[in-house]
């Protein structure tokens, strides 16, 4: 059996844990640089605030309807997510973290188990230990557990936030209830093709012949169909080494001077290098992109990119940052207001197993230096140790005018009880 545990309105729920005044109030969470709405509480949804709404257009609507608008507090959300996932590991060792607010659990050897009560226990412990409300869907396959979770979320009073598909009758009833566009794994393209075949509900999809599905929807479509039929084909994903690592961000303001852009690129490159060291990889290539604000069509537009091939594989922040800064210097054009940039490290190899160069190699001092920097940053957090061309005050410069405190990750923001 599989379970899909999903945190309800996760970002809004995290804010409510530490600010009880927000309970039962409409809440909207904004994207990077306070741009668009990326998360809403149920109360905000009922009022008609759409997902992705640009806040500058909906500011008046939010004030009129008493919607509390907050900046994204990613350190807080990330820490709360980590706590939820650690709790889930107490119920089974087989956990796939699917996103920041949901995870799949596989129950191996749980024969004749009371999954309804087990789901209630999972939900109750997360709520008690973190304050985050969840819904739990349990079924014989991953795709069906997603369907079960939607039922639990749609009918909280009847299900108490937990629904188990443990019989053929329940499976058929669930598939005849859920729309094809709401099925996990059915994107716009697949949705269009299935609707052309007359599939309005998930049940209609399972009625198609296997031959047609394999011929027209390939192996992934066939696996999804089998999963919905109760024949498990989609297994938990194993943690794999990434083939490329990217750090891309929008700037908090448009930059037209090279110095500010160099600083941002150095910070992005350093973050890529840190991720490389975390997974034990080194890179052979550094790819840099720089883009103007495409939404301001009345200004000069420019989009550039450049690849730098390194002389040897490296995970050194010094080498990767230097290459990225050199690349963005070549891309930059005077007189253009730039809004977004990115650094991607590619050609990844294992740091402890790659082809050595006869005449060129990395400075041997870099390895212990990077270990010392990573150790200090892990101990003191907030990236206290940085390269000389980075801004010492912040890692990510974003417009966050409505930011709540980082209650769990910054000692100066710890909640005070009076």
């Amino acid at each position: 059996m599989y379970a899909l545990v999903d945190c309800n309105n996760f970002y809004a729920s995290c804010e409510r844990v530490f600010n009880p005044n927000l309970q039962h109030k409409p809440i909207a969470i904004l994207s990077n640089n306070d741009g668009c709405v990326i998360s809403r509480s149920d109360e905000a949804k009922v009022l008609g605030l759409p997902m992705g709404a640009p806040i500058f257009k909906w500011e008046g609507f939010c004030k009129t309807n008493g919607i509390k608008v907050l900046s994204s507090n990613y350190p807080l959300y990330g820490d709360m997510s980590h706590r939820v996932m650690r709790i889930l590991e107490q119920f089974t060792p087989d956990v796939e973290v699917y996103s920041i607010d949901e995870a799949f659990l596989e129950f191996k050897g749980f024969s004749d188990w009371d999954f309804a009560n087990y789901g209630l226990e999972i939900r109750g412990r997360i709520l008690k230990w973190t304050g985050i409300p969840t819904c739990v869907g349990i079924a014989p396959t991953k795709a069906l557990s997603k369907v079960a979770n939607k039922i639990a979320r749609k009918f909280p009073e009847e299900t108490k936030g937990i629904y188990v598909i443990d019989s053929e009758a329940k499976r058929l009833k669930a598939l005849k209830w859920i729309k094809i566009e709401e099925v996990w794994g059915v994107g716009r393209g697949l949705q269009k093709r299935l609707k052309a075949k007359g599939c309005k509900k998930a049940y209609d999809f399972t009625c198609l012949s296997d031959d047609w599905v394999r011929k027209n929807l390939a192996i992934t479509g066939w696996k999804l169909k089998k999963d919905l039929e109760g024949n498990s084909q989609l297994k938990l994903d194993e943690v794999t080494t990434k083939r490329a690592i990217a750090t891309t961000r929008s700037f908090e303001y448009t930059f037209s001077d090279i110095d500010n852009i160099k600083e941002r690129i150095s910070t992005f490159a350093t973050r890529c290098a840190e991720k490389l060291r975390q997974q034990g990889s080194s890179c052979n290539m550094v790819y840099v992109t720089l883009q103007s604000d495409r939404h301001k069509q009345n200004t000069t537009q420019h989009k550039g990119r450049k690849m730098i091939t390194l002389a040897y594989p490296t995970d050194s922040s010094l080498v990767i940052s230097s290459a990225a800064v050199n690349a963005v210097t070549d891309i930059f054009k005077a007189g253009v207001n730039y809004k977004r940039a990115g650094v991607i490290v590619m050609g990844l190899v294992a740091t402890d197993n790659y082809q050595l160069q006869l005449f060129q190699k990395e400075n041997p001092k870099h390895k212990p230096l990077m270990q010392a920097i990573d150790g200090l940053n892990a101990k003191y957090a907030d990236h206290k140790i940085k390269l000389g061309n980075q801004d010492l005050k912040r890692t990510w410069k974003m417009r966050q005018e409505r930011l709540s405190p980082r209650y769990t990750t910054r000692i100066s923001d710890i909640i005070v009880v009076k």
Side-chain angles (χ1 to χ4, degrees):
M1 295 288 278
Y2 291 85
L4 189 279
V5 181
D6 185 17
C7 300
N8 301 345
N9 305 320
F10 182 61
Y11 292 174
S13 295
C14 288
E15 299 288 353
R16 283 172 168 166
V17 169
F18 300 96
N19 187 354
N21 292 327
L22 296 177
Q23 292 290 347
H24 310 299
K25 302 288 180 62
I27 303 171
I29 309 297
L30 301 180
S31 61
N32 290 343
N33 298 313
D34 291 348
C36 303
V37 174
I38 59 170
S39 180
R40 306 158 296 164
S41 66
D42 288 336
E43 295 82 359
K45 295 175 186 177
V46 170
L47 290 170
L49 179 66
M51 182 70 85
I55 195 59
F56 75 93
K57 291 184 178 179
W58 290 80
E59 188 83 56
F61 177 87
C62 291
K63 288 181 179 179
T64 301
N65 290 277
I67 300 175
K68 179 68 174 178
V69 180
L70 297 168
S71 301
S72 296
N73 192 338
Y74 293 120
L76 174 65
Y77 308 152
D79 182 65
M80 294 299 287
S81 173
H82 177 77
R83 296 179 187 216
V84 170
M85 301 308 166
R86 296 295 76 77
I87 293 172
L88 293 178
E89 290 174 355
Q90 298 174 7
F91 292 92
T92 175
D94 301 304
V95 177
E96 176 195 333
V97 180
Y98 186 66
S99 67
I100 193 172
D101 63 345
E102 59 184 327
F104 286 104
L105 284 66
E106 185 176 6
F107 301 113
K108 295 178 181 177
F110 285 67
S111 58
D112 300 323
W113 208 264
D114 187 345
F115 286 107
N117 282 332
Y118 206 50
L120 289 172
E121 186 180 347
I122 293 171
R123 190 171 185 270
R125 187 176 300 180
I126 293 173
L127 183 62
K128 184 176 181 180
W129 289 14
T130 67
I132 301 294
T134 59
C135 283
V136 182
I138 301 177
T141 69
K142 286 177 72 175
L144 285 174
S145 72
K146 268 280 193 178
V147 176
N149 185 277
K150 285 184 178 292
I151 294 173
R153 186 80 171 87
K154 183 71 174 180
F155 307 102
E157 298 293 331
E158 296 87 342
T159 63
K160 297 181 181 178
I162 160 74
Y163 189 74
V164 182
I165 297 177
D166 53 5
S167 68
E168 183 66 4
K170 284 187 176 181
R171 183 186 74 84
L172 293 175
K173 185 178 181 180
L175 294 184
K176 290 177 181 179
W177 169 78
I178 192 167
K179 297 177 181 178
I180 190 65
E181 60 264 28
E182 296 178 352
V183 174
W184 175 57
V186 176
R188 291 183 179 179
L190 181 55
Q191 178 189 144
K192 185 181 295 185
R193 299 176 75 179
L194 290 176
K195 284 192 173 182
K197 287 287 290 183
C199 297
K200 296 180 179 180
K201 303 287 186 179
Y203 176 76
D204 301 327
F205 177 32
T206 61
C207 291
L208 297 176
S209 70
D210 286 351
D211 290 340
W212 185 91
V213 171
R214 293 203 67 153
K215 182 179 179 180
N216 293 275
L217 306 182
I219 188 66
T220 54
W222 178 82
K223 285 184 176 181
L224 177 58
K225 177 178 180 289
K226 288 298 173 186
D227 238 50
L228 292 172
E229 291 173 353
N231 182 355
S232 181
Q233 295 292 327
L234 303 172
K235 306 300 181 182
L236 293 190
D237 290 340
E238 297 180 358
V239 178
T240 57
T241 300
K242 294 180 179 179
R243 297 182 180 180
I245 292 175
T247 301
T248 60
R249 295 286 189 280
S250 294
F251 305 140
E252 77 275 32
Y253 305 108
T254 54
F255 292 142
S256 58
D257 61 303
I258 188 63
D259 291 334
N260 266 311
I261 292 173
K262 282 183 177 179
E263 189 279 328
R264 289 291 81 201
I265 288 294
S266 178
T267 296
F268 297 172
T270 300
R271 183 63 187 128
C272 285
E274 290 170 352
K275 292 179 181 178
L276 282 173
R277 296 194 291 273
Q278 288 171 3
Q279 76 167 29
S281 297
S282 294
C283 71
N284 282 287
M285 294 171 284
V286 179
Y287 184 74
V288 178
T289 64
L290 186 63
Q291 182 178 340
S292 56
D293 191 343
R294 58 188 175 86
H295 297 294
K296 297 182 179 179
Q297 295 297 328
N298 58 334
T299 62
T300 304
Q301 297 291 312
H302 177 238
K303 183 178 181 180
R305 57 186 69 86
K306 184 168 184 178
M307 173 85 76
I308 298 287
T309 301
L310 303 174
Y312 45 80
T314 183
D315 62 3
S316 169
S317 297
L318 296 170
V319 176
I320 295 172
S321 172
S322 177
V325 169
N326 288 338
V328 82
T329 302
D330 291 341
I331 297 171
F332 176 81
K333 285 187 177 181
V336 177
N337 292 321
Y338 290 101
K339 182 61 178 176
R340 186 175 181 83
V343 176
I344 306 173
V345 289
M346 307 163 68
L348 305 192
V349 295
T351 299
D352 58 358
N353 183 21
Y354 62 79
Q355 182 67 47
L356 300 175
Q357 303 290 332
L358 183 60
F359 299 108
Q360 290 181 305
K361 60 181 180 179
E362 189 169 87
N363 187 328
K365 294 181 180 179
H366 284 201
K367 191 70 66 180
L369 176 60
M370 294 301 110
Q371 291 175 349
I373 291 175
D374 290 342
L376 288 169
N377 283 335
K379 183 176 181 179
Y380 297 105
D382 283 343
H383 292 82
K384 297 295 183 184
I385 309 299
K386 300 183 179 182
L387 302 186
N389 60 356
Q390 289 182 259
D391 189 317
L392 299 178
K393 295 181 180 180
R394 295 184 68 179
T395 301
W396 307 124
K397 288 185 172 182
M398 294 188 294
R399 187 184 298 121
Q400 295 178 306
E401 298 170 351
R402 315 160 197 253
L403 188 64
S404 58
R406 300 179 184 181
Y407 300 102
T408 65
T409 59
R410 179 179 288 174
I411 192 66
S412 60
D413 288 353
I414 194 168
I415 195 167
V416 177
V417 179
K418 297 183 180 178

